[in-house]
C-alpha cells in the first residue's frame, strides 16, 4: 500500500503486508517501481493522479490453460519452444528451463468439450495419446493426473496504460515520492511469441538508460522513460491483438499478411522485410518503428499487386480486342 500523503518530503511511504494480514514494515523510498504485474497496486496509485488511464481491449478470442510439465527426451534440443496443435482445438506450448523440464501449457477455449470431459488420470493420458502422440511417452503419469486436478486458469486479455508511465512530485505539485511502471503493469498481452517478457526487459533497459543519461535525476529521467516506452506499450498490444483474431478476419489480418511477407521477401529481400513475427524479433529497433515499417511494406505490397492487376487487365483487354478484330467483329 502506498500512502503519499503521510510520506516525508520527496518520499513515498510503502507499507509491506505479510501474507495473511498484518503490517510488517513501513519504509520511505525515493522511487517506487511498479513491476507488480497485471493487477498492479502501484498502477492504481498512478491512475488516481489523473496522469494516465488504462485502455482495455475486448477479448473476442478468450483462452484458458492448464499446466502440463514435460521432460525433454534424450537427444531433443532443450533450449527450444515446443508447440503442437490438436484437432480438438487444444494447443500445447512448452518453454525450456535449465533443468530440461519444460513448462508446458494446454491452451484451449473455455467451452472445449475434450478438456471438460477429463475426470481421471486415465482420461488425461488417453487425451494426450490421441491428440499429442509425439509427447505421450514423455509425460509422467503424475503430470497427467495433475492435469485433471490443476485449476483452469484464464489468460488475460489486452490492456495498456495510456499517458504517463510515471509520476513525480514536481509534476503533481504535491508532496510524496516518485512512481514508475514496468512490464506487465504497463501492458498485458497473451503469452504468444514472448512479447510480454521481452518488452518487460526492454522497459528495464530503457529505465536504466534514462537514469544514466540524467545522472539519476528522477524529475528528468522518468519523463524521458515515459517518452521512450509509452508508445511502445501501445504498439505491442495493438499488434498482438491482430495476431489473436480468429476465423476469416484472423486469416485476412494475420495469416494472409504472413504469406504476403514471405512471398515478397523472397522476391526482393532488400525491398521487403521478412514476415512480421520474425521481423518483430529484431531487438535493435523500437517495436513502434518495426510496426511502422511493416505498414509501409503492406502499402507497397498492395500497390504492387494493384499495379500488376491493372497491367494484366490492360493486356487482357488488348488481346481480346485483337482477337475480336481478327474475327471481323467491330469494336
Amino acid at each position: 500500500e502506498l500512502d503519499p500523503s503521510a510520506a516525508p518530503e520527496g518520499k513515498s511511504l510503502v507499507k509491506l503486508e505479510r501474507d495473511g494480514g498484518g503490517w510488517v514494515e513501513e519504509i520511505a523510498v525515493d522511487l517506487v517501481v511498479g513491476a507488480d504485474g497485471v493487477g498492479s497496486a502501484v498502477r492504481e496509485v498512478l491512475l488516481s493522479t489523473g496522469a494516465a488511464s488504462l485502455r482495455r481491449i475486448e477479448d473476442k478470442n478468450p483462452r484458458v490453460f492448464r499446466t502440463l510439465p514435460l521432460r525433454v527426451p534424450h537427444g531433443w534440443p532443450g533450449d527450444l519452444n515446443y508447440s503442437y496443435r490438436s484437432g480438438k482445438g487444444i494447443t500445447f506450448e512448452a518453454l525450456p528451463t535449465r533443468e530440461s523440464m519444460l513448462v508446458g501449457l494446454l491452451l484451449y477455449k473455455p467451452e472445449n468439450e475434450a478438456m471438460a470431459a477429463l475426470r481421471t488420470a486415465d482420461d488425461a493420458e488417453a487425451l494426450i495419446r490421441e491428440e499429442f502422440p509425439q509427447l505421450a511417452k514423455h509425460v509422467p503419469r503424475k503430470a497427467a493426473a495433475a492435469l485433471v486436478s490443476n485449476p483452469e486458469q484464464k489468460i488475460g486479455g489486452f490492456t495498456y496504460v495510456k499517458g504517463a508511465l510515471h509520476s513525480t512530485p514536481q509534476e503533481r505539485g504535491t508532496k510524496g515520492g516518485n512512481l514508475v511502471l514496468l512490464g506487465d503493469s504497463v501492458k498485458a498481452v497473451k503469452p504468444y511469441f514472448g512479447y510480454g517478457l521481452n518488452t518487460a526487459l526492454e522497459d528495464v533497459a530503457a529505465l536504466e538508460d534514462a537514469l544514466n543519461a540524467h545522472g539519476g535525476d528522477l524529475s528528468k529521467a522518468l519523463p524521458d522513460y515515459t517518452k521512450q516506452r509509452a508508445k511502445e506499450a501501445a504498439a505491442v498490444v495493438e499488434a498482438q491483438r491482430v495476431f489473436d483474431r480468429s476465423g476469416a478476419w484472423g486469416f485476412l489480418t494475420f495469416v494472409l499478411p504472413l504469406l504476403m511477407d514471405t512471398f515478397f521477401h523472397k522476391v526482393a529481400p532488400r525491398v521487403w522485410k521478412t514476415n512480421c513475427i520474425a521481423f518483430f524479433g529484431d531487438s535493435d529497433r523500437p517495436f513502434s518503428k518495426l510496426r511502422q515499417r511493416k505498414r509501409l511494406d503492406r502499402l507497397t505490397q498492395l500497390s504492387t499487386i494493384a499495379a500488376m492487376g491493372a497491367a494484366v487487365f490492360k493486356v487482357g483487354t488488348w488481346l481480346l480486342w485483337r482477337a475480336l478484330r481478327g474475327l471481323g467483329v467491330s469494336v
Side-chain angles (χ1 to χ4, degrees):
E1 179 176 310
L2 304 174
D3 188 0
S5 63
E9 188 69 31
K11 302 282 186 179
S12 287
L13 195 63
V14 181
K15 295 180 180 180
L16 306 179
E17 185 179 8
R18 181 189 296 112
D19 288 343
W23 298 114
V24 293
E25 190 174 1
E26 188 172 276
I27 57 176
V29 297
D30 297 315
L31 173 64
V32 175
V33 178
D36 48 342
V38 294
S40 173
V42 179
R43 183 180 65 209
E44 292 305 312
V45 175
L46 175 61
L47 297 180
S48 70
T49 68
S53 61
L54 187 63
R55 165 93 161 109
R56 296 184 185 274
I57 300 174
E58 182 183 358
D59 186 2
K60 297 184 178 180
N61 189 24
R63 288 290 187 274
V64 294
F65 70 92
R66 292 186 188 180
T67 57
L68 180 68
L70 173 72
R71 185 167 295 282
V72 178
H74 179 71
W76 287 25
D79 56 350
L80 298 179
N81 177 90
Y82 290 88
S83 180
Y84 299 88
R85 290 178 179 267
S86 82
K88 294 183 178 179
I90 306 171
T91 300
F92 176 80
E93 296 282 350
L95 298 174
T97 67
R98 292 181 180 179
E99 294 76 21
S100 295
M101 176 66 81
L102 299 182
V103 179
L105 301 177
L106 288 182
L107 301 164
Y108 51 95
K109 289 189 175 182
E111 63 273 15
N112 187 278
E113 295 180 358
M115 293 300 296
L118 296 183
R119 295 291 182 272
T120 67
D122 290 338
D123 293 340
E125 288 186 324
L127 176 70
I128 294 169
R129 283 196 306 270
E130 293 170 7
E131 301 303 315
F132 307 102
Q134 310 95 323
L135 307 176
K137 64 181 180 180
H138 306 300
V139 177
R141 181 171 175 81
K142 286 185 177 180
L147 181 62
V148 178
S149 59
N150 287 341
E152 187 175 85
Q153 301 181 61
K154 182 180 179 181
I155 294 178
F158 302 101
T159 62
Y160 63 90
V161 174
K162 294 179 63 176
L165 306 183
H166 74 283
S167 178
T168 67
Q170 292 88 350
E171 292 170 326
R172 295 192 305 269
T174 63
K175 63 184 304 185
N178 302 276
L179 310 177
V180 67
L181 303 180
L182 301 174
D184 286 350
S185 64
V186 175
K187 78 279 179 214
V189 295
K190 293 187 177 180
Y192 306 140
F193 314 118
Y195 289 160
L197 175 60
N198 286 309
T199 55
L201 296 175
E202 291 176 359
D203 289 345
V204 174
L207 180 59
E208 180 183 21
D209 290 344
L211 290 169
N212 290 336
H214 297 284
D217 185 342
L218 296 175
S219 66
K220 296 179 180 178
L222 298 187
D224 189 11
Y225 166 78
T226 283
K227 183 178 179 181
Q228 294 181 55
R229 299 305 299 169
K231 60 183 178 182
E232 297 303 309
V236 169
V237 173
E238 295 290 353
Q240 219 235 28
R241 177 193 181 191
V242 172
F243 297 164
D244 190 58
R245 289 171 178 155
S246 60
W249 189 233
F251 176 81
L252 290 174
T253 59
F254 180 43
V255 178
L256 183 58
L258 284 179
L259 298 176
M260 291 173 59
D261 284 339
T262 300
F263 172 77
F264 280 97
H265 180 64
K266 286 184 177 180
V267 171
R270 292 188 178 183
V271 178
W272 290 292
K273 298 298 183 182
T274 186
N275 70 72
C276 53
I277 294 177
F279 188 53
F280 286 163
D282 183 354
S283 61
D284 293 333
R285 283 187 284 182
F287 199 95
S288 57
K289 296 294 184 184
L290 298 177
R291 193 168 179 231
Q292 288 176 6
R293 176 52 200 260
K294 291 315 297 179
R295 285 175 171 172
L296 177 61
D297 278 357
R298 198 73 63 240
L299 177 62
T300 55
Q301 289 167 2
L302 293 175
S303 298
T304 301
I305 292 172
M308 292 175 64
V312 169
F313 177 78
K314 288 189 68 174
V315 171
T317 302
W318 181 80
L319 291 174
L320 178 62
W321 178 79
R322 289 294 301 267
L324 292 175
R325 288 289 300 272
L327 294 173
V329 179
S330 178
V331 292

